[in-house]
Amino acid sequence: MGSIEDRPEIVFFDLETTDIPSRNQPYAILEYGSILVCPKKLTELHSYQTLVRPLDLSLISADSIRVNGITADHVVSCPTFAEIADKVYDILNGRVWAGHNIVKFDCVVLKEAYAQINRKPPVPKGIIDTLKLLTETFGRRTDNMKMATLAKYFGLGQQSHRSLDDVRMNFEVVKLCASVLFLESSQQDTENNWASLNAGPINSSKQKSTLEVTRPNISPFTSTETHTVPPNPVESVNAQPGPFHTVPMVEESSTTTLSNAFSNHNEFIDPDSVSLASITVNVAPFVNGPHRIQILHKDIPMRIRCAGMRIPYGLSANFVDHAGNPILSLVVNASSLNLCKILDACDNIARRFADFDGNSQWRPVLTRNTGFYNSPTIRLHIPTVGQDRTRWITDIYYKSSSSIPGTQQLVSSVAELKSLLFPGSLVDAYFSLDPYNYQKNAGIRLVANKLIIHTS
């Protein structure tokens, strides 16, 4: 095998697993599938798929079979993971990995599978998590970013939940999304209708802030690690440039230092550092349909960090999506006067350029009432993944006064999160601003990219 630099192919891979963790490993692998992709021509070069026999066949439950159709009879004569570990290692090691939600699931399961057989796991040259990538670059066109929903949007048929089929579907979805974004960007260049507009005064002073409609900076392969979701708790030193913007492999750990947990935190700015006159909006029309709005501060996507925000109610799961699954959200007090001014200004700017009519209702980002501590509140949305909405993209940690200084613990379940969020507790919030117009409602959604919960 050559060096990492000699392995330019991208590996799209997927694991099918049991849904019931055992005592020794979280999930048993039932199937592995992958394709090697040429990054220059985006063509499939090689594929590999195999069923895998878990050491404990009783882990294959009725729920697991309903998802992927893999029964104990299907795998009883198949190789164990130990028997395919060399082959999988050779495919993955030193290449860029790609897949849907692989950072928080497939990569973790794979690493633990190698640990079970006392083998060193393969190491990627970079990772493309298409869930994060497409959420940032292609979001709001579909109800959610599930692979089945994206496949239905493009008319690719039903998702089979079999590894090789899902991998190829993932690859096709990425190519189609990239094509749409490329055409939209090309259309923007040819329309030549961009202009600088005066937004008028957005504060009580005599100064006027200039509202600029800037040429959008949209790339089909812009990593969400750069623009929306904060990086994982490792230093980003291994990412390799190329046709896909990749992120480094995450070393999972339940404890991490505060200094390293958010190494790119400077991209999130304190409210006191925001200049109202530097708030602009990026308007990008779709090929067919409404345009997309992005709120910027000094030509960079607006992302804010606020420390010590008080929680008046706790975690809310009262909101549901179109399928009836709970949507997690957290109400916090916007006690900072500067934060309120910023959000009001962003509200005014976004509303002016939102593509909505009288059938849509604009919902202010700030809720002003005489409730807890008599201050306005904001709602932080926690993006979730999975059919049961029990996993999330947001990095959520907690720290206590009794812990080792500078450390924080990872929150791993909804039950644990609910136990930590109670009225009166404090949270450090890192969030981005996401203008939306969906189902006759429009406004700005505050997406929690990272939360640090203070516990006593």
Side-chain angles (χ1 to χ4, degrees):
M1 183 182 70
S3 65
I4 287 180
E5 288 74 16
D6 297 332
R7 313 198 87 195
E9 304 89 355
I10 298 169
V11 186
F12 279 78
F13 79 97
D14 179 63
L15 302 177
E16 292 299 326
T17 69
T18 60
D19 67 325
I20 301 177
S22 70
R23 180 173 298 178
N24 296 321
Q25 83 178 35
Y27 296 90
I29 297 175
L30 298 179
E31 188 175 45
Y32 169 89
S34 64
I35 59 173
L36 286 186
V37 170
C38 172
K40 294 182 178 180
K41 298 181 179 180
L42 296 184
T43 54
E44 181 179 329
L45 303 175
H46 176 73
S47 67
Y48 174 71
Q49 179 271 338
T50 181
L51 289 169
V52 181
R53 173 169 55 86
L55 298 180
D56 184 359
L57 290 174
S58 67
L59 292 175
I60 304 177
S61 66
D63 289 337
S64 173
I65 295 171
R66 275 194 292 270
V67 173
N68 52 46
I70 301 174
T71 67
D73 290 340
H74 288 146
V75 300
V76 67
S77 300
C78 294
T80 64
F81 183 77
E83 294 173 295
I84 67 164
D86 286 341
K87 176 71 173 178
V88 173
Y89 185 96
D90 183 62
I91 292 172
L92 294 174
N93 192 56
R95 288 191 170 107
V96 172
W97 297 359
H100 210 63
N101 195 36
I102 59 172
V103 166
K104 292 195 173 182
F105 186 76
D106 301 76
C107 292
V108 177
V109 172
L110 190 70
K111 181 179 178 181
E112 289 167 344
Y114 275 94
Q116 290 292 312
I117 60 174
N118 297 315
R119 290 280 306 276
K120 181 180 178 181
V123 177
K125 184 162 58 175
I127 296 180
I128 304 164
D129 194 317
T130 59
L131 175 62
K132 292 184 178 182
L133 175 70
L134 299 181
T135 297
E136 165 64 11
T137 60
F138 203 76
R140 293 191 298 280
R141 292 169 176 82
T142 58
D143 291 341
N144 57 59
M145 299 308 290
K146 295 178 182 178
M147 185 52 57
T149 305
L150 291 165
K152 181 179 179 181
Y153 179 85
F154 286 113
L156 297 178
Q158 296 291 325
Q159 184 182 7
S160 68
H161 291 286
R162 296 299 299 270
S163 58
L164 192 57
D165 288 342
D166 285 3
V167 160
R168 285 179 170 143
M169 177 175 281
N170 191 2
F171 182 38
E172 288 303 314
V173 164
V174 170
K175 289 193 293 183
L176 288 167
C177 289
S179 298
V180 170
L181 293 170
F182 172 77
L183 290 173
E184 288 177 355
S185 180
S186 299
Q187 184 190 49
Q188 294 150 18
D189 289 336
T190 57
E191 286 180 350
N192 194 27
N193 62 349
W194 306 100
S196 294
L197 303 176
N198 194 310
I202 57 176
N203 54 41
S204 58
S205 69
K206 294 182 179 180
Q207 294 182 345
K208 292 186 178 182
S209 59
T210 301
L211 175 62
E212 299 174 358
V213 184
T214 59
R215 188 176 299 276
N217 182 19
I218 296 179
S219 168
F221 300 110
T222 301
S223 169
T224 58
E225 294 294 333
T226 306
H227 296 290
T228 294
V229 182
N232 290 289
V234 292
E235 294 183 4
S236 301
V237 295
N238 296 321
Q240 301 292 320
F244 294 83
H245 189 161
T246 64
V247 298
M249 175 61 178
V250 178
E251 289 295 333
E252 295 289 337
S253 173
S254 60
T255 304
T256 180
T257 63
L258 285 171
S259 60
N260 291 331
F262 204 39
S263 59
N264 208 16
H265 69 278
N266 287 331
E267 293 186 4
F268 287 75
I269 53 179
D270 293 311
D272 293 345
S273 300
V274 174
S275 166
L276 295 182
S278 298
I279 298 176
T280 58
V281 66
N282 201 12
V283 181
F286 291 159
V287 174
N288 293 305
H291 53 248
R292 177 178 185 268
I293 296 174
Q294 186 178 44
I295 298 173
L296 310 175
H297 180 257
K298 296 182 179 179
D299 298 325
I300 298 173
M302 174 79 80
R303 303 199 297 174
I304 298 173
R305 64 170 181 263
C306 291
M309 304 188 80
R310 195 169 296 276
I311 302 170
Y313 310 120
L315 185 68
S316 172
N318 295 331
F319 300 92
V320 295
D321 63 13
H322 69 289
N325 296 315
I327 299 175
L328 300 181
S329 64
L330 179 65
V331 173
V332 295
N333 284 111
S335 54
S336 165
L337 180 59
N338 283 339
L339 176 62
C340 294
K341 289 181 178 180
I342 292 164
L343 295 179
D344 279 338
C346 292
D347 229 7
N348 292 334
I349 292 174
R351 183 170 185 171
R352 183 173 300 184
F353 287 90
D355 188 2
F356 75 102
D357 52 30
N359 294 324
S360 293
Q361 178 183 1
W362 184 269
R363 297 183 176 274
V365 67
L366 277 172
T367 300
R368 287 181 165 87
N369 49 47
T370 56
F372 200 86
Y373 288 97
N374 206 27
S375 65
T377 60
I378 57 175
R379 183 177 298 276
L380 301 175
H381 293 263
I382 303 173
T384 54
V385 294
Q387 293 183 351
D388 55 0
R389 299 292 188 184
T390 58
R391 303 194 308 274
W392 48 73
I393 302 173
T394 305
D395 292 324
I396 304 178
Y397 303 89
Y398 71 92
K399 64 177 183 178
S400 66
S401 55
S402 60
S403 351
I404 299 173
T407 63
Q408 55 190 7
Q409 309 295 319
L410 183 67
V411 179
S412 58
S413 68
V414 173
E416 183 183 17
L417 185 59
K418 287 182 177 179
S419 69
L420 294 168
L421 297 173
F422 52 87
S425 58
L426 301 177
V427 63
D428 299 339
Y430 298 74
F431 57 90
S432 54
L433 282 65
D434 177 27
Y436 68 91
N437 182 18
Y438 180 65
Q439 293 185 344
K440 297 185 179 181
N441 289 304
I444 297 175
R445 182 180 292 108
L446 303 181
V447 180
N449 303 141
K450 180 179 178 180
L451 297 172
I452 302 175
I453 304 164
H454 298 250
T455 61
S456 56

